[in-house]
Amino acid sequence: MSTRTQIKHKLEQKARRHARVRARIFGTTKVPRLCVSRSNRYISAQLIDDAKGITLAVSRDQKMAKSAKKAAAGELSGKQAAAFTVGREIAQKAQELKIKKAVFDRGACRYHGRIKSLAEGARKGGLEF
């Protein structure tokens, strides 16, 4: 299998995993979907109302990555601390919008590492899943 074919295959598998997760999850105005996007360098979270098709709030770690590395939350690494901070920030934005519950959408990623840290940060910030 050539390199190009392998990359295409990996992307197809990722799309299938994401579609499987999204088939079971739907966000409403009262209980929006907390969608997590992760790259090798950054992590971001969005509160999405699927009924109206709008994004209610966004939190990204691009500005927080350096500060999170300095003030790592407990035993977390730099990227996990940044994810934890993003989770707390999105929870604060949700409270400003008077949202207490959300449906967690991990996308095609496994629930561990940075995804888990973001979820724990959101829970500590006051969101319920």
Side-chain angles (χ1 to χ4, degrees):
M1 198 183 294
S2 69
T3 306
R4 182 174 283 183
T5 309
Q6 288 174 335
I7 293 171
K8 186 177 177 184
H9 182 68
K10 280 185 179 184
L11 291 174
E12 287 172 354
Q13 285 180 321
K14 185 176 180 180
R16 278 191 213 124
R17 282 193 304 269
H18 189 76
R20 231 182 353 246
V21 170
R22 281 286 291 125
R24 291 176 256 152
I25 296 173
F26 189 81
T28 62
T29 305
K30 291 185 179 182
V31 184
R33 177 168 54 104
L34 176 61
C35 181
V36 179
S37 300
R38 179 184 63 89
S39 70
N40 287 337
R41 192 169 185 184
Y42 300 116
I43 192 161
S44 65
Q46 299 180 52
L47 286 172
I48 301 171
D49 178 3
D50 290 318
K52 294 181 182 175
I54 58 171
T55 300
L56 304 171
V58 178
S59 179
R60 295 184 182 105
D61 77 336
Q62 294 172 352
K63 297 175 185 172
M64 294 180 251
K66 291 181 183 177
S67 63
K69 286 181 183 177
K70 292 178 184 174
E75 302 171 4
L76 300 176
S77 69
K79 288 181 182 180
Q80 285 184 341
F84 188 85
T85 308
V86 169
R88 274 195 301 191
E89 185 180 308
I90 198 75
Q92 288 173 353
K93 289 181 180 181
Q95 286 181 347
E96 291 171 7
L97 296 169
K98 298 179 182 174
I99 296 170
K100 296 180 181 179
K101 287 188 176 184
V103 180
F104 192 72
D105 178 8
R106 62 182 175 82
C109 304
R110 287 189 222 158
Y111 184 81
H112 77 102
R114 289 190 279 161
I115 304 294
K116 186 176 178 180
S117 294
L118 189 141
E120 289 172 356
R123 283 191 188 107
K124 288 220 175 168
L127 264 180
E128 294 178 27
F129 301 135

